[in-house]
Amino acid sequence: MNILFASSEAVPLAKTGGLADVAGALPKALGKYGADVRVILPKYEEIPLHYAEQFELIAEFQVSFGWRNQYCGLHKGTIDGVTYYLIDNEFYFKRRGLYGYGDDAERFVFYCFAVMEAARFMDFRPHIVHCHDWQAGLIPFLLRTRYAFDPAWAYAKSVFTVHNLMYQGLFSMDLLKELTGAGDDLFGWDGLSHRGGASCMKAALEFADKLTTVSPTYAHEIQTAYYGEQLDAVLRYRCEDLRGIVNGIDTELFDPMNDSALHSPYRNSIGRKRKNKLDLQRELGLPESADIPMIGIVSRLVEQKGFDLIAAILDELLQEDVQLVVLGAGERKYEELFEEAARNYPDKAAIWLGYSDRMARRIYAGSDIFAMPSKFEPCGLSQLLALRYRSVPVVRETGGLRDTVQAFNENTGEGNGFSFANYNAHDFLYSIRRALDFYREEEVWKRIVENGARSDYSWNVSAKAYMDVYAELTAHRKENEPWPVIL
Ligand code: ADP
Ligand code: GLC
């Protein structure tokens, strides 16, 4: 089965968050089930040179969308056994960072049209185009409209995965009409029209053959008004086609036994893990002690991740005998919150602003407790990475956090973390305090860490679930029937 992944980011080429981890790791896991999965993304300026050099130009063509007509170069390369295609247009993508430009609508509408055109120039006919988040949202729409009878896409089906319903690719109706060149009939309430404008995410929710999201709990949540971001009605309408499949992590890429960011490799020895804590304390200028419990946070600094809860109890938390280490970038108000904490409590709090893969790994390894009190969390990979690095997660019971972290029960000895249900700062603080209490009971702590170590957060099970979704879409095909070759 040939699957084309359309994702605006993928490890190791470009990353802002968990989407990149998924688009990097899932193709490899699907490969083990016999699928040929290739990934197509924009050729950003920030793709590291040593990877960019491994690509060759395989085609050049024009992409017309609306009244525009733009150059597109198609590059192909293989990294770690996965074939990637890059969409090249320097005007759109030779810029710093991935998103956040005034013309993001135009950039990603171009990307979607370019993907549709690129299929003509690949030695690969996608049976399924698997699109991720709003940046690729127009692809399922184009497949059913402008490209419905295009031989390059004959027999192809689409899957759309919601990684985060909050980012909807919402633009003015006039702009999306102009960019797509699609008729008014496609912009009604049952079309792209949304919140007074038009949405690329909604286009996908309506036109994709199958929908998935990244955890079973989030799949339920987004059908309710509270989590539905005003798209809950569409999701309820499509609930038969919607599945929640929990993310995994690349356990080879993230392995405390084999991680060049760490000086002391470890697997199950808490003693050896704590050497990494000492190392991190040294680097961040915190008092060196293997015994002080260290709470880690690695996150985009945005409201979603529960920073308002943290803000409300930060002073109280820092009265405890703890250290808090935060790595993040995002909204200025949250950066200031932690900068101030580090100034007021120099022996207890350290903040590293910005994006650093190395520092992230050192915090997963150095911390004893990992805090993630998200307001909502489609899946969350950070808590899985924390478990992999034997840091005990304290999370709010929402989305994928609810599906991957089980609260420790001192009566049964079961559970790999701590959790609370309501979005309430003192419920969060109470859970942290519970974790701190058990941290001081060495045997109990060991048990909690071991419970976490036993969980399987690799992609094996979830990749099979995606294969089932693909199989449902191609079920009409007879066993061993060759795929049609269209010239
Ligand atoms: P989201 O995709 O919503 O940001 P996830 O938990 O799914 O949340 O994935 C976040 C990913 O990004 C993880 O791999 C995490 O380690 C990484 N990450 C987040 N912030 C940073 C940062 N400042 N520096 C390095 N890695 C980060
Ligand atoms: C989104 C979500 C996060 C999820 C990631 C990968 O960024 O916020 O919860 O883990 O996508 O699916």
Short mmCIF file of all heavy atoms in Angstrom, two decimals, residues 15-22 163-164 167 247 254 298-302 304-305 327-329 352-361 364 370 372 377-383 385, ligand 1:
data_model
loop_
_atom_site.label_atom_id
_atom_site.label_comp_id
_atom_site.label_asym_id
_atom_site.label_seq_id
_atom_site.Cartn_x
_atom_site.Cartn_y
_atom_site.Cartn_z
N LYS A 15 10.72 21.05 12.79
CA LYS A 15 9.85 20.72 13.93
C LYS A 15 9.49 21.95 14.74
O LYS A 15 10.34 22.77 15.04
CB LYS A 15 10.57 19.70 14.83
CG LYS A 15 9.92 19.50 16.20
CD LYS A 15 10.47 18.29 16.93
CE LYS A 15 10.01 18.25 18.37
NZ LYS A 15 10.40 17.05 19.11
N THR A 16 8.20 22.08 15.08
CA THR A 16 7.82 23.04 16.12
C THR A 16 7.14 22.32 17.29
O THR A 16 7.03 22.88 18.36
CB THR A 16 6.84 24.13 15.61
OG1 THR A 16 5.58 23.53 15.33
CG2 THR A 16 7.35 24.84 14.38
N GLY A 17 6.64 21.10 17.05
CA GLY A 17 5.94 20.40 18.13
C GLY A 17 5.76 18.93 17.81
O GLY A 17 6.46 18.37 16.95
N GLY A 18 4.80 18.33 18.48
CA GLY A 18 4.61 16.88 18.41
C GLY A 18 4.25 16.37 17.02
O GLY A 18 4.55 15.22 16.68
N LEU A 19 3.59 17.22 16.20
CA LEU A 19 3.26 16.79 14.84
C LEU A 19 4.51 16.28 14.11
O LEU A 19 4.46 15.27 13.41
CB LEU A 19 2.63 17.97 14.08
CG LEU A 19 2.47 17.81 12.58
CD1 LEU A 19 1.60 16.61 12.23
CD2 LEU A 19 1.88 19.09 11.97
N ALA A 20 5.61 17.00 14.30
CA ALA A 20 6.85 16.60 13.62
C ALA A 20 7.33 15.24 14.10
O ALA A 20 7.81 14.41 13.31
CB ALA A 20 7.94 17.64 13.86
N ASP A 21 7.19 14.99 15.39
CA ASP A 21 7.60 13.68 15.93
C ASP A 21 6.77 12.57 15.29
O ASP A 21 7.28 11.52 14.92
CB ASP A 21 7.41 13.64 17.46
CG ASP A 21 8.36 14.57 18.20
OD1 ASP A 21 9.57 14.49 17.94
OD2 ASP A 21 7.90 15.38 19.03
N VAL A 22 5.45 12.83 15.18
CA VAL A 22 4.56 11.82 14.62
C VAL A 22 4.89 11.58 13.15
O VAL A 22 5.05 10.43 12.71
CB VAL A 22 3.08 12.25 14.79
CG1 VAL A 22 2.15 11.28 14.07
CG2 VAL A 22 2.72 12.35 16.27
N HIS A 163 -4.42 16.93 14.82
CA HIS A 163 -3.45 16.93 15.92
C HIS A 163 -3.81 18.00 16.94
O HIS A 163 -3.43 17.90 18.10
CB HIS A 163 -2.04 17.16 15.39
CG HIS A 163 -1.54 16.02 14.57
ND1 HIS A 163 -0.76 15.02 15.08
CD2 HIS A 163 -1.75 15.70 13.28
CE1 HIS A 163 -0.49 14.13 14.13
NE2 HIS A 163 -1.09 14.52 13.02
N ASN A 164 -4.49 19.03 16.47
CA ASN A 164 -4.90 20.08 17.39
C ASN A 164 -6.03 20.87 16.74
O ASN A 164 -5.80 21.59 15.78
CB ASN A 164 -3.71 20.99 17.72
CG ASN A 164 -4.01 21.89 18.90
OD1 ASN A 164 -5.16 22.25 19.15
ND2 ASN A 164 -2.97 22.26 19.64
N TYR A 167 -6.07 25.00 16.14
CA TYR A 167 -5.45 25.71 15.01
C TYR A 167 -6.22 25.32 13.75
O TYR A 167 -6.10 24.20 13.26
CB TYR A 167 -3.98 25.36 14.90
CG TYR A 167 -3.20 25.69 16.16
CD1 TYR A 167 -2.79 24.69 17.04
CD2 TYR A 167 -2.92 27.01 16.49
CE1 TYR A 167 -2.11 24.99 18.22
CE2 TYR A 167 -2.24 27.33 17.66
CZ TYR A 167 -1.85 26.31 18.52
OH TYR A 167 -1.18 26.63 19.67
N ASN A 247 -0.87 8.43 20.02
CA ASN A 247 0.48 8.51 19.45
C ASN A 247 1.45 7.61 20.20
O ASN A 247 1.25 7.31 21.38
CB ASN A 247 1.03 9.93 19.58
CG ASN A 247 0.36 10.90 18.63
OD1 ASN A 247 -0.11 10.51 17.57
ND2 ASN A 247 0.36 12.17 19.01
N PHE A 254 14.64 8.24 21.12
CA PHE A 254 14.60 8.69 22.51
C PHE A 254 14.87 7.49 23.41
O PHE A 254 13.98 6.73 23.73
CB PHE A 254 13.24 9.31 22.84
CG PHE A 254 13.01 10.61 22.14
CD1 PHE A 254 12.29 10.66 20.97
CD2 PHE A 254 13.54 11.79 22.65
CE1 PHE A 254 12.09 11.87 20.31
CE2 PHE A 254 13.35 13.00 22.01
CZ PHE A 254 12.62 13.04 20.84
N VAL A 298 8.86 20.78 29.68
CA VAL A 298 9.37 21.03 28.32
C VAL A 298 8.14 21.27 27.48
O VAL A 298 7.32 20.37 27.30
CB VAL A 298 10.13 19.81 27.76
CG1 VAL A 298 10.56 20.06 26.32
CG2 VAL A 298 11.33 19.47 28.64
N SER A 299 7.99 22.50 26.99
CA SER A 299 6.69 22.77 26.37
C SER A 299 6.70 24.04 25.53
O SER A 299 7.50 24.94 25.76
CB SER A 299 5.66 22.94 27.50
OG SER A 299 4.40 23.21 27.00
N ARG A 300 5.77 24.09 24.58
CA ARG A 300 5.43 25.38 24.00
C ARG A 300 4.76 26.17 25.11
O ARG A 300 3.93 25.62 25.85
CB ARG A 300 4.44 25.19 22.83
CG ARG A 300 5.04 24.51 21.63
CD ARG A 300 4.04 24.42 20.47
NE ARG A 300 2.93 23.52 20.77
CZ ARG A 300 1.65 23.88 20.78
NH1 ARG A 300 1.30 25.12 20.50
NH2 ARG A 300 0.70 23.01 21.05
N LEU A 301 5.12 27.44 25.26
CA LEU A 301 4.53 28.22 26.35
C LEU A 301 3.24 28.88 25.85
O LEU A 301 3.24 30.04 25.44
CB LEU A 301 5.54 29.28 26.84
CG LEU A 301 6.86 28.73 27.40
CD1 LEU A 301 7.77 29.86 27.86
CD2 LEU A 301 6.61 27.76 28.56
N VAL A 302 2.18 28.08 25.86
CA VAL A 302 0.88 28.57 25.39
C VAL A 302 -0.18 28.14 26.40
O VAL A 302 0.03 27.21 27.19
CB VAL A 302 0.53 28.00 23.99
CG1 VAL A 302 1.46 28.55 22.92
CG2 VAL A 302 0.59 26.47 24.00
N GLN A 304 -2.82 26.44 26.19
CA GLN A 304 -3.21 25.02 26.11
C GLN A 304 -2.53 24.16 27.17
O GLN A 304 -3.10 23.21 27.69
CB GLN A 304 -2.87 24.49 24.70
CG GLN A 304 -3.08 22.99 24.57
CD GLN A 304 -2.41 22.40 23.32
OE1 GLN A 304 -2.11 23.12 22.37
NE2 GLN A 304 -2.17 21.11 23.32
N LYS A 305 -1.27 24.48 27.46
CA LYS A 305 -0.47 23.59 28.30
C LYS A 305 -0.70 23.80 29.79
O LYS A 305 0.00 23.22 30.62
CB LYS A 305 1.00 23.76 27.95
CG LYS A 305 1.32 23.47 26.47
CD LYS A 305 1.11 22.00 26.13
CE LYS A 305 1.33 21.73 24.64
NZ LYS A 305 1.21 20.32 24.29
N LEU A 327 11.89 24.42 30.18
CA LEU A 327 12.38 24.72 28.83
C LEU A 327 11.18 25.06 27.97
O LEU A 327 10.22 24.27 27.90
CB LEU A 327 13.10 23.50 28.23
CG LEU A 327 13.37 23.55 26.72
CD1 LEU A 327 14.35 24.65 26.37
CD2 LEU A 327 13.89 22.20 26.22
N GLY A 328 11.19 26.22 27.35
CA GLY A 328 10.02 26.54 26.53
C GLY A 328 10.18 27.83 25.78
O GLY A 328 11.04 28.66 26.09
N ALA A 329 9.33 27.99 24.80
CA ALA A 329 9.28 29.23 24.04
C ALA A 329 7.82 29.44 23.67
O ALA A 329 7.09 28.47 23.46
CB ALA A 329 10.13 29.11 22.79
N TRP A 352 15.03 28.02 30.71
CA TRP A 352 15.80 28.04 29.46
C TRP A 352 14.81 28.41 28.36
O TRP A 352 13.94 27.61 28.03
CB TRP A 352 16.41 26.66 29.24
CG TRP A 352 17.32 26.59 28.05
CD1 TRP A 352 16.97 26.67 26.74
CD2 TRP A 352 18.74 26.39 28.06
NE1 TRP A 352 18.06 26.55 25.94
CE2 TRP A 352 19.17 26.37 26.72
CE3 TRP A 352 19.69 26.23 29.07
CZ2 TRP A 352 20.50 26.19 26.35
CZ3 TRP A 352 21.02 26.04 28.71
CH2 TRP A 352 21.41 26.04 27.37
N LEU A 353 14.91 29.63 27.88
CA LEU A 353 13.96 30.06 26.85
C LEU A 353 14.46 29.68 25.48
O LEU A 353 15.65 29.81 25.18
CB LEU A 353 13.78 31.59 26.91
CG LEU A 353 13.07 32.14 28.14
CD1 LEU A 353 12.91 33.65 28.02
CD2 LEU A 353 11.71 31.49 28.33
N GLY A 354 13.57 29.20 24.66
CA GLY A 354 13.93 28.87 23.29
C GLY A 354 13.68 27.41 23.02
O GLY A 354 13.05 26.71 23.82
N TYR A 355 14.15 26.98 21.88
CA TYR A 355 13.94 25.61 21.46
C TYR A 355 15.28 24.89 21.50
O TYR A 355 16.25 25.36 20.91
CB TYR A 355 13.34 25.58 20.05
CG TYR A 355 13.03 24.18 19.63
CD1 TYR A 355 11.79 23.62 19.92
CD2 TYR A 355 13.98 23.39 19.00
CE1 TYR A 355 11.51 22.31 19.59
CE2 TYR A 355 13.71 22.08 18.66
CZ TYR A 355 12.47 21.55 18.95
OH TYR A 355 12.20 20.26 18.62
N SER A 356 15.40 23.79 22.21
CA SER A 356 16.66 23.06 22.26
C SER A 356 16.40 21.57 22.47
O SER A 356 15.94 21.15 23.54
CB SER A 356 17.54 23.59 23.40
OG SER A 356 18.54 22.64 23.71
N ASP A 357 16.67 20.81 21.44
CA ASP A 357 16.46 19.36 21.53
C ASP A 357 17.36 18.78 22.62
O ASP A 357 16.95 17.92 23.40
CB ASP A 357 16.75 18.72 20.16
CG ASP A 357 16.46 17.24 20.15
OD1 ASP A 357 15.30 16.88 20.43
OD2 ASP A 357 17.38 16.44 19.89
N ARG A 358 18.59 19.29 22.67
CA ARG A 358 19.54 18.78 23.66
C ARG A 358 19.05 19.04 25.08
O ARG A 358 19.02 18.14 25.93
CB ARG A 358 20.91 19.46 23.44
CG ARG A 358 21.93 19.17 24.51
CD ARG A 358 23.24 19.92 24.27
NE ARG A 358 24.11 19.82 25.43
CZ ARG A 358 24.01 20.62 26.49
NH1 ARG A 358 23.09 21.58 26.54
NH2 ARG A 358 24.83 20.47 27.51
N MET A 359 18.61 20.27 25.34
CA MET A 359 18.16 20.61 26.68
C MET A 359 16.89 19.83 27.04
O MET A 359 16.70 19.40 28.18
CB MET A 359 17.94 22.13 26.78
CG MET A 359 17.62 22.66 28.16
SD MET A 359 18.62 22.04 29.54
CE MET A 359 20.15 22.88 29.33
N ALA A 360 16.01 19.62 26.04
CA ALA A 360 14.79 18.85 26.31
C ALA A 360 15.17 17.47 26.83
O ALA A 360 14.67 17.01 27.86
CB ALA A 360 13.96 18.72 25.03
N ARG A 361 16.10 16.82 26.16
CA ARG A 361 16.50 15.47 26.56
C ARG A 361 17.12 15.49 27.96
O ARG A 361 16.92 14.58 28.77
CB ARG A 361 17.51 14.93 25.56
CG ARG A 361 16.89 14.61 24.21
CD ARG A 361 17.95 14.46 23.13
NE ARG A 361 17.36 14.19 21.83
CZ ARG A 361 17.02 12.97 21.41
NH1 ARG A 361 17.22 11.91 22.17
NH2 ARG A 361 16.47 12.81 20.22
N TYR A 364 14.23 15.79 30.48
CA TYR A 364 13.52 14.51 30.67
C TYR A 364 14.36 13.58 31.55
O TYR A 364 13.85 12.89 32.42
CB TYR A 364 13.25 13.83 29.32
CG TYR A 364 12.21 14.54 28.46
CD1 TYR A 364 12.52 14.95 27.16
CD2 TYR A 364 10.93 14.78 28.94
CE1 TYR A 364 11.57 15.60 26.37
CE2 TYR A 364 9.98 15.43 28.15
CZ TYR A 364 10.31 15.84 26.87
OH TYR A 364 9.38 16.47 26.11
N PHE A 370 7.49 15.19 36.01
CA PHE A 370 7.28 15.99 34.82
C PHE A 370 5.87 16.58 34.87
O PHE A 370 4.90 15.84 34.98
CB PHE A 370 7.47 15.13 33.56
CG PHE A 370 7.52 15.95 32.31
CD1 PHE A 370 8.70 16.56 31.90
CD2 PHE A 370 6.37 16.14 31.55
CE1 PHE A 370 8.75 17.34 30.77
CE2 PHE A 370 6.42 16.94 30.41
CZ PHE A 370 7.60 17.53 30.01
N MET A 372 2.55 18.55 33.51
CA MET A 372 1.84 18.83 32.26
C MET A 372 0.34 18.98 32.56
O MET A 372 -0.46 18.09 32.26
CB MET A 372 2.09 17.66 31.30
CG MET A 372 2.06 18.05 29.84
SD MET A 372 2.77 16.71 28.86
CE MET A 372 2.06 17.13 27.26
N GLU A 377 -5.36 18.47 25.70
CA GLU A 377 -4.15 17.84 25.14
C GLU A 377 -4.56 16.72 24.19
O GLU A 377 -4.89 15.61 24.62
CB GLU A 377 -3.28 17.30 26.26
CG GLU A 377 -1.86 16.98 25.82
CD GLU A 377 -1.14 18.22 25.30
OE1 GLU A 377 -0.80 19.10 26.11
OE2 GLU A 377 -0.95 18.31 24.06
N PRO A 378 -4.54 17.00 22.89
CA PRO A 378 -4.95 15.97 21.92
C PRO A 378 -4.27 14.62 22.20
O PRO A 378 -4.94 13.59 22.29
CB PRO A 378 -4.51 16.57 20.60
CG PRO A 378 -4.63 18.06 20.83
CD PRO A 378 -4.21 18.28 22.25
N CYS A 379 -2.96 14.61 22.31
CA CYS A 379 -2.29 13.40 22.80
C CYS A 379 -1.24 13.78 23.81
O CYS A 379 -1.32 13.47 24.96
CB CYS A 379 -1.65 12.59 21.66
SG CYS A 379 -0.85 11.13 22.33
N GLY A 380 -0.23 14.53 23.34
CA GLY A 380 0.90 14.83 24.20
C GLY A 380 1.96 13.77 24.01
O GLY A 380 1.68 12.56 24.15
N LEU A 381 3.14 14.22 23.64
CA LEU A 381 4.26 13.28 23.53
C LEU A 381 5.21 13.48 24.70
O LEU A 381 5.92 12.56 25.10
CB LEU A 381 5.01 13.52 22.23
CG LEU A 381 4.19 13.25 20.97
CD1 LEU A 381 4.97 13.62 19.74
CD2 LEU A 381 3.80 11.78 20.91
N SER A 382 5.18 14.68 25.27
CA SER A 382 6.13 14.98 26.34
C SER A 382 5.98 14.03 27.52
O SER A 382 6.97 13.59 28.10
CB SER A 382 5.95 16.42 26.81
OG SER A 382 6.31 17.28 25.77
N GLN A 383 4.73 13.70 27.87
CA GLN A 383 4.56 12.79 29.01
C GLN A 383 5.07 11.39 28.67
O GLN A 383 5.55 10.66 29.54
CB GLN A 383 3.10 12.77 29.49
CG GLN A 383 2.14 11.87 28.73
CD GLN A 383 1.68 12.49 27.40
OE1 GLN A 383 2.20 13.51 26.94
NE2 GLN A 383 0.70 11.89 26.78
N LEU A 385 7.61 10.84 26.57
CA LEU A 385 9.08 10.95 26.63
C LEU A 385 9.52 10.94 28.10
O LEU A 385 10.52 10.32 28.45
CB LEU A 385 9.54 12.23 25.93
CG LEU A 385 9.23 12.25 24.42
CD1 LEU A 385 9.49 13.63 23.83
CD2 LEU A 385 10.08 11.21 23.69
P1 ADP B 1 2.69 19.90 21.20
O1 ADP B 1 2.80 19.20 19.91
O2 ADP B 1 1.30 20.36 21.53
O3 ADP B 1 3.67 21.00 21.36
P2 ADP B 1 3.59 17.36 22.35
O4 ADP B 1 3.76 16.95 23.77
O5 ADP B 1 2.80 16.47 21.49
O6 ADP B 1 3.01 18.84 22.37
O7 ADP B 1 5.00 17.45 21.63
C1 ADP B 1 5.95 18.40 21.95
C2 ADP B 1 7.25 17.98 21.36
O8 ADP B 1 8.07 19.12 21.20
C3 ADP B 1 8.03 17.02 22.24
O9 ADP B 1 8.90 16.27 21.44
C4 ADP B 1 8.82 18.01 23.12
O10 ADP B 1 9.96 17.41 23.68
C5 ADP B 1 9.18 19.05 22.10
N1 ADP B 1 9.38 20.41 22.63
C6 ADP B 1 8.45 21.27 23.08
N2 ADP B 1 9.00 22.44 23.44
C7 ADP B 1 10.33 22.32 23.20
C8 ADP B 1 11.46 23.19 23.36
N3 ADP B 1 11.32 24.42 23.83
N4 ADP B 1 12.67 22.73 23.00
C9 ADP B 1 12.80 21.46 22.53
N5 ADP B 1 11.80 20.60 22.36
C10 ADP B 1 10.57 21.03 22.69
#
